[in-house]
Amino acid sequence: MSRWGKQQDRLVVRAVDVLSGVLSGAAPEPARRVVASRALLAVEELVFPLHEELVLAENADAAAREAIDEQWADDAAVRGWVTETLTEHASSYNELHEVWEDDPDHVEPQGEHPVWALLEMSPFARRLRLLQEAAAKTAVGLGGDVGVGAHQIGHWAAGRSRPGEREREALAGALGVHPAWLHASRDEQPDVQLYRFASCPCEKPTAMARLGLGREEPAWYDSPAEQDAAVHWCGCGQAWVKDAAGWLLPLPPGEEPTPSDGDLVDLGHPLSRRPSVTLDEPWPRALWQPPAGRKGRARTAYRVHELLTREPQTLPVRPDVARVVVPEPVWGAGSAERLAANASWCRTCRALAGAPKGAAGGPWVLLHRSEPERELSTWTYPTEKDALHHGAHLAMTYLQLDDGPLDSVALDLFTGQAHAQVIARFLELHPETSQFEVAELVPMRADEF
């Protein structure tokens, strides 16, 4: 506890914001369990400093996997789940490391450790802390704007009291947000609007690259193909996971790989390489972009996102994702006819169908396919991306012919343009197949054929 300070307070409060915003009222499912595990891990690393990293990760994973609907019913339930989890882990922590009550590393369950008081904070107190930090206002400065003493701001931020109607309006004006965000009717409501999005809320949302969670991440998803394409990266640098209803949920910082400049899916503009924002700062970074020229932990105000300048709206119940209808494969036709048929549902083919013909030459690659009772067939393409795109079409065709309705995972991957994962999904479903295999992609030149 001797290592605890304001930075640790901020991280715990921010992690609870993330947990409540992502989990409240939602059924436990893979994407939410991933977020829950990571945010909980950030807290456990602070509370249990003597634990090895592997033990911390296993504890957080187990808690996220075992959570049930009732434990994530609302903000109070989520905080109760975190409190219950930490209480259970505190007992095993003290016993494992043989730390007793007079030891500074002892964590007394429901005792004097600062984490317990932080977990009791209502959404209003956490919201005020977030907005005050983002505005880079001290208690003295904010109190002066509102017309109260710094001690009163401290009482509100600690949850010991609540402001009146006049003070709430003054707070909203001083912090640059719509007054409804600080209305008394929202005091116990989590800010789900800040952690669930239909698209990235950054200034320039783009098509997203899809990558895996990383080798060290547990297999949250039902198949390797699903996990390999679980993370959606926007060009702003924000990583997302998508839940079953199609909401994008911000993925807390971790060890997953970031897209490279040569990634298969074009982000539309280069990935932001600015230092990542940790959970002890205003987050997610897509909503709270760090101020330009900010160095270290210098107090510089973040720009208030437009979302917070409008009245908060109840998130709609998202309808089922429109089903992509893939037509029957086109046989005995030329490339133009096949391309036209694919263009009816594939956005890459749709773009190619109307594109002008380019000059031959430059780097080319080979795609190999074999079928029963046939020798190796080879196609050539100008780029590796084109080759994998065609390979994914082949995989989709055979899934359609063999399995009837297309495999939902492969279809979702394809519409997301994650072609390498589509092929991996095919081989996952048919590990013994001889119908389709992709060999090494070999760089070639047009004049070598």
Side-chain angles (χ1 to χ4, degrees):
M1 193 185 305
S2 59
R3 292 179 289 272
W4 201 275
K6 291 184 178 179
Q7 182 176 355
Q8 287 71 26
D9 280 356
R10 284 194 298 267
L11 191 148
V12 171
V13 172
R14 196 72 65 247
V16 175
D17 275 340
V18 174
L19 287 165
S20 184
V22 169
L23 307 181
S24 292
E29 47 94 36
R32 281 187 165 78
R33 293 188 192 276
V34 170
V35 176
S37 173
R38 289 203 178 183
L40 182 61
L41 176 60
V43 177
E44 298 232 0
E45 287 174 340
L46 297 179
V47 179
F48 308 118
L50 298 183
H51 266 337
E52 294 182 359
E53 183 177 346
L54 180 60
V55 174
L56 291 166
E58 289 178 346
N59 286 345
D61 291 344
R65 288 180 184 279
E66 296 167 4
I68 58 177
D69 292 33
E70 290 78 7
Q71 292 174 307
W72 292 355
D74 52 30
D75 179 82
V78 171
R79 286 187 285 125
W81 170 69
V82 177
T83 300
E84 180 182 347
T85 299
L86 294 183
T87 299
E88 178 183 341
H89 292 172
S91 299
S92 59
Y93 171 81
N94 295 329
E95 181 178 353
L96 176 64
H97 297 287
E98 298 183 344
V99 291
W100 315 112
E101 292 184 7
D102 57 347
D103 193 304
D105 289 312
H106 180 264
V107 181
E108 182 179 355
Q110 301 296 318
E112 297 181 357
H113 196 286
V115 72
W116 308 120
L118 295 172
L119 291 174
E120 293 178 359
M121 282 187 180
S122 69
F124 172 79
R126 302 199 311 267
R127 185 177 306 126
L128 177 57
R129 288 191 174 210
L130 167 64
L131 297 176
Q132 181 183 348
E133 180 187 348
K137 287 184 177 288
T138 64
V140 173
L142 184 57
D145 294 338
V146 177
V148 299
H151 68 283
Q152 187 62 71
I153 299 295
H155 287 316
W156 294 340
R160 290 189 288 269
S161 63
R162 302 275 175 87
E165 184 177 350
R166 186 196 68 79
E167 289 85 3
R168 289 175 186 270
E169 292 183 359
L171 278 171
L175 298 171
V177 302
H178 192 284
W181 285 95
L182 296 176
H183 193 272
S185 62
R186 301 195 70 254
D187 282 358
E188 303 301 327
Q189 295 182 20
D191 291 327
V192 296
Q193 297 89 344
L194 305 184
Y195 298 97
R196 305 177 194 180
F197 298 93
S199 61
C200 185
C202 68
E203 293 181 348
K204 298 180 179 179
T206 64
M208 292 191 179
R210 299 175 68 170
L211 295 176
L213 286 165
R215 294 183 179 179
E216 300 304 320
E217 197 79 29
W220 294 103
Y221 291 83
D222 293 334
S223 75
E226 286 179 282
Q227 179 162 322
D228 283 347
V231 182
H232 299 244
W233 281 93
C234 179
C236 71
Q238 177 67 54
W240 305 91
V241 287
K242 185 178 290 188
D243 71 4
W247 289 113
L248 292 175
L249 312 175
L251 181 65
E255 300 299 324
E256 69 281 353
T258 58
S260 64
D261 293 336
D263 211 286
L264 296 177
V265 181
D266 187 4
L267 286 170
H269 58 78
L271 178 73
S272 171
R273 298 295 179 183
R274 284 174 291 181
S276 62
V277 178
T278 62
L279 285 185
D280 66 324
E281 300 181 35
W283 191 87
R285 66 172 300 163
L287 197 66
W288 299 100
Q289 288 290 338
R294 184 169 184 263
K295 296 181 179 180
R297 298 199 60 83
R299 297 185 67 88
T300 307
Y302 287 70
R303 184 180 64 82
V304 176
H305 194 277
E306 182 185 3
L307 176 64
L308 285 154
T309 65
R310 305 190 304 264
E311 184 176 356
Q313 301 294 316
T314 302
L315 292 181
V317 176
R318 291 185 63 83
D320 293 337
V321 178
R323 188 169 65 91
V324 177
V325 178
V326 181
E328 289 294 321
V330 178
W331 301 103
S335 58
E337 289 80 4
R338 291 197 301 273
L339 182 64
N342 289 332
S344 67
W345 68 280
C346 171
R347 70 169 184 254
T348 297
C349 289
R350 193 155 50 243
L352 290 173
K357 300 297 182 182
W364 286 66
V365 293
L366 297 178
L367 175 69
H368 306 306
R369 178 171 67 98
S370 64
E371 298 179 45
E373 302 177 359
R374 289 188 60 180
E375 295 182 357
L376 185 70
S377 300
T378 302
W379 289 267
T380 59
Y381 299 91
T383 68
E384 181 177 335
K385 180 178 180 179
D386 294 327
L388 285 173
H389 175 72
H390 182 67
H393 266 298
L394 292 172
M396 296 286 282
T397 296
Y398 284 110
L399 286 174
Q400 188 176 6
L401 293 175
D402 296 343
D403 301 333
L406 276 172
D407 175 71
S408 59
V409 174
L411 183 56
D412 178 61
L413 289 167
F414 196 105
T415 55
Q417 307 294 283
H419 300 136
Q421 289 95 330
V422 173
I423 297 171
R425 176 64 172 173
F426 177 88
L427 297 176
E428 176 187 319
L429 294 174
H430 300 282
E432 305 300 326
T433 187
S434 60
Q435 262 194 315
F436 176 74
E437 40 184 59
V438 178
E440 181 181 1
L441 299 168
V442 184
M444 299 287 286
R445 289 187 58 84
D447 56 7
E448 292 181 272
F449 300 114

